[in-house]
């Protein structure tokens, strides 16, 4: 099975990035995501790209995982760059693309260097002011299911694709999409049944 990307699992480590608390890293992701709205030149964003590359090196994250994460984004980036270049001009197109790439990598660094438990605890603390409208524990449970499901779905897709390639059917979308959908639906049903067995579903559904 192919190696995972930055967004799938936590990469254990002892770097300064790993030891940094959640909130400064989360604030950095927000700043990186908002920066394109406040600059009119691609050069500041290029500097951020270089800085993020330095963060990846300092955190000792596998370059293969970063490249694998970017590979899925590359077709969208190419199409977006071409369209924005044609419609608005190259400087603006580069600024848009760099903004997306920077936000993508920053979020990947956050998930790769922060344990899932810390992310879920942060979600619970952030949801507590709105406890009158939403249960913080439900928010954490939902995020936990999502975080757990993403690696499973990616692994299932990779396994199905390798199986199709072994049978010479890698160019047939049905040979990849249909088995993957069946696996994902089965996984979703199993997860729902496990939640129901533990009494974690909506009480109104059980009435």
């Amino acid at each position: 099975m192919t190696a995972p990307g930055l967004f799938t699992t936590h990469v254990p480590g002892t770097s300064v990035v790993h030891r940094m608390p959640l909130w400064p890293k989360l604030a950095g992701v927000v700043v990186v995501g908002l920066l394109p709205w406040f600059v009119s030149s691609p050069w500041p964003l290029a500097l951020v790209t270089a800085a993020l590359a330095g963060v990846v090196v300092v955190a000792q994250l596998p370059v293969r995982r970063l490249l694998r994460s970017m590979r899925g984004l590359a077709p969208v980036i190419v199409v977006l760059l071409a369209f924005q270049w044609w419609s608005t001009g190259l400087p603006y197109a580069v600024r848009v693309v760099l903004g997306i790439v920077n936000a993508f990598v920053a979020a990947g660094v956050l998930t790769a260097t922060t344990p899932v438990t810390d992310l879920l605890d942060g979600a619970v603390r952030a949801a507590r002011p709105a406890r009158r409208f939403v249960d913080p524990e439900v928010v954490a449970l939902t995020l936990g299911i999502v975080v757990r499901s993403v690696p499973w779905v990616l692994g299932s897709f990779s396994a199905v694709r390798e199986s199709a390639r072994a049978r010479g059917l890698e160019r047939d979308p049905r040979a990849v999409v249909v088995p993957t959908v069946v696996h994902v639906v089965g996984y979703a049903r199993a997860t729902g049944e496990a939640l129901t067995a533990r009494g974690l579903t909506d009480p109104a559904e059980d009435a």
Side-chain angles (χ1 to χ4, degrees):
M1 186 175 295
T2 53
L6 285 183
F7 290 91
T8 53
T9 55
H10 170 59
V11 180
T14 58
S15 71
V16 63
V17 183
H18 285 82
R19 297 195 304 270
M20 188 179 299
L22 169 63
W23 297 110
K25 288 191 282 190
L26 185 59
V29 172
V30 172
V31 170
V32 170
L34 293 177
L35 185 60
W37 298 94
F38 298 97
V39 298
S40 57
S41 168
W43 292 111
L45 300 177
L47 292 177
V48 172
T49 304
L52 287 172
V55 171
V56 171
V57 172
V58 171
Q60 299 179 348
L61 298 178
V63 176
R64 182 175 57 181
R65 293 185 65 165
L66 174 61
L67 295 178
R68 176 169 174 78
S69 297
M70 295 301 301
R71 187 174 64 181
L73 186 65
V76 177
I77 291 298
V78 171
V79 172
L80 184 61
L81 176 64
F83 175 77
Q84 293 293 345
W85 189 355
W86 171 76
S87 62
T88 311
L90 182 59
Y92 182 81
V94 172
R95 182 157 61 93
V96 170
V97 168
L98 286 179
I100 294 174
V101 170
N102 290 346
F104 184 84
V105 174
V109 170
L110 171 67
T111 57
T113 60
T114 307
V116 174
T117 54
D118 291 353
L119 291 173
L120 298 182
D121 289 344
V124 171
R125 291 196 297 271
R128 279 174 184 164
R131 62 170 59 92
R132 292 183 57 184
F133 308 100
V134 62
D135 186 348
E137 299 299 332
V138 172
V139 173
L141 175 63
T142 303
L143 291 177
I145 292 174
V146 172
V147 170
R148 180 169 174 255
S149 299
V150 169
W152 191 94
V153 172
L154 292 176
S156 177
F157 176 78
S158 176
V160 169
R161 185 176 58 182
E162 291 180 359
S163 176
R165 183 182 295 114
R167 291 179 285 132
L169 299 175
E170 67 273 13
R171 296 185 180 276
D172 185 356
R174 293 175 298 178
V176 177
V177 175
V178 174
T180 301
V181 170
V182 172
H183 290 173
V184 170
V185 171
Y187 178 81
R189 292 189 61 180
T191 302
E193 291 171 358
L195 293 176
T196 301
R198 290 166 175 77
L200 297 176
T201 54
D202 188 348
E205 297 178 357
D206 300 331

